[in-house]
Amino acid sequence: MNILEATKIYKSYGNKFNMQEVLKGLDLTITKGEFVSIMGASGSGKTTLLNVLSSIDKVSNGSIKIQGNEMTRMKEKQLAEFRKNHLGFIFQDYNLLDTLTVKENILLPLSISNTSRKVANQKFEAVANELGIYEIKDKYPNEISGGQKQRTSAARAFIHDPSIIFADEPTGALDSKSASDLLNKLSQLNQKRSATIVMVTHDPVAASYCNRVIFIKDGQIYTQLNKGEESRQTFFKDIMKTQGVLGGVQNEH
């Protein structure tokens, strides 16, 4: 079942005298339970693509459907409601509220819905244990490590069982051990919960945890790789090879 269908997506910035076309009629489908990575050199349009798919930005033209709901026709109020119920977000810079504890940050999506306290606590306990952060639930963001902050951010994205989770360079600010911890947890949640995750990354190691890697070049899909039965190490080599052909920037830090 396709959970996301994007058809003839165009996105331009500027005015008619100075127009920059970033996405150029791109088509994309994502099925339920996929863990998909979007890669491409700096300026290829990968972050713009994530932004329009996740409703952070509007398309200039085209159709985006999530679970059959046409996002591009929704009014702002409808979109906010849809986002609240169906979408989860993990950002590179965590986006945690410093005045709230780990637990309070994770519970935010449920606090704006009609979830009972009992159900909210059950959901919190499950996701916090899955991500290995239950023990730090009463700490504040300034008292925990970058890796723990990002796992808190991931728990917040998963807690309301969204239709799809968008992750923008989630390992960008982490050291290699924290990054692999997070990616292992995301991979486990993807399998255990049949969660659909769409992740933008420049890092072939991060992409190797996914089922499918989509390479963007000049606002279009250049090629795709499917992991299939390959080991993560073999898939990583395939990604590196394709990135080399594409001329991808292998480290944008």
Side-chain angles (χ1 to χ4, degrees):
M1 180 186 118
N2 287 340
I3 204 158
L4 185 150
E5 296 175 355
T7 312
K8 299 282 180 286
I9 296 297
Y10 289 87
K11 179 63 185 176
S12 304
Y13 293 100
N15 53 42
K16 62 182 179 180
F17 304 109
N18 183 21
M19 185 72 72
Q20 186 191 4
E21 200 172 49
V22 182
L23 300 177
K24 305 169 184 176
L26 187 144
D27 294 323
L28 174 66
T29 57
I30 290 165
T31 56
K32 181 170 170 49
E34 270 200 293
F35 189 177
V36 178
S37 177
I38 299 170
M39 299 190 79
S42 190
S44 61
K46 62 184 187 293
T47 300
T48 300
L49 176 60
L50 190 82
N51 287 345
V52 297
L53 292 178
S54 64
S55 77
I56 288 172
D57 204 352
K58 289 190 185 312
V59 294
S60 303
N61 217 329
S63 161
I64 297 171
K65 290 179 182 173
I66 293 181
Q67 283 202 321
N69 297 281
E70 178 57 71
M71 309 273 288
T72 55
R73 295 204 191 116
M74 286 185 190
K75 301 275 193 298
E76 202 51 56
K77 196 174 177 182
Q78 285 176 296
L79 204 51
E81 192 65 22
F82 185 82
R83 212 182 274 135
K84 183 175 83 176
N85 294 319
H86 291 279
L87 307 184
F89 296 91
I90 307 172
F91 300 99
Q92 180 176 339
D93 56 359
Y94 322 125
N95 276 24
L96 300 177
L97 297 176
D98 292 335
T99 54
L100 300 183
T101 63
V102 163
K103 182 177 181 179
E104 289 164 344
N105 267 289
I106 293 169
L107 285 171
L108 271 177
L110 298 184
S111 67
I112 53 174
S113 68
N114 294 322
T115 310
S116 70
R117 180 170 290 198
K118 184 183 175 186
V119 171
N121 278 324
Q122 286 169 344
K123 283 177 173 279
F124 164 75
E125 206 165 307
V127 77
N129 278 315
E130 283 169 316
L131 280 154
I133 49 174
Y134 185 78
E135 285 69 30
I136 58 163
K137 66 183 189 297
D138 298 321
K139 290 186 180 290
Y140 288 88
N142 66 351
E143 299 174 317
I144 61 177
S145 70
Q148 290 169 327
K149 285 178 189 174
Q150 196 57 298
R151 279 183 278 149
T152 300
S153 175
R156 182 184 58 195
F158 276 95
I159 195 165
H160 61 303
D161 298 310
S163 305
I164 190 164
I165 288 167
F166 294 99
D168 187 7
E169 299 276 11
T171 60
L174 304 180
D175 60 63
S176 57
K177 186 188 181 305
S178 297
S180 65
D181 284 350
L182 175 73
L183 290 159
N184 274 315
K185 297 291 187 191
L186 290 181
S187 189
Q188 286 162 19
L189 284 164
N190 162 249
Q191 289 162 30
K192 186 177 174 184
R193 295 182 172 223
S194 295
T196 309
I197 306 170
V198 180
M199 173 174 78
V200 159
T201 184
H202 68 272
D203 181 3
V205 174
S208 71
Y209 283 81
C210 298
N211 317 123
R212 176 162 61 117
V213 181
I214 298 164
F215 292 88
I216 306 288
K217 185 178 184 181
D218 300 328
Q220 286 276 14
I221 291 179
Y222 172 77
T223 190
Q224 303 185 44
L225 292 176
N226 286 292
K227 187 177 190 178
E229 299 301 312
E230 284 185 343
S231 68
R232 197 169 66 75
Q233 286 73 19
T234 306
F235 195 42
F236 168 74
K237 286 174 186 167
D238 292 346
I239 294 165
M240 288 289 285
K241 210 176 289 179
T242 306
Q243 204 178 35
V245 172
L246 192 62
V249 181
Q250 287 174 24
N251 193 342
E252 290 177 343
H253 284 324

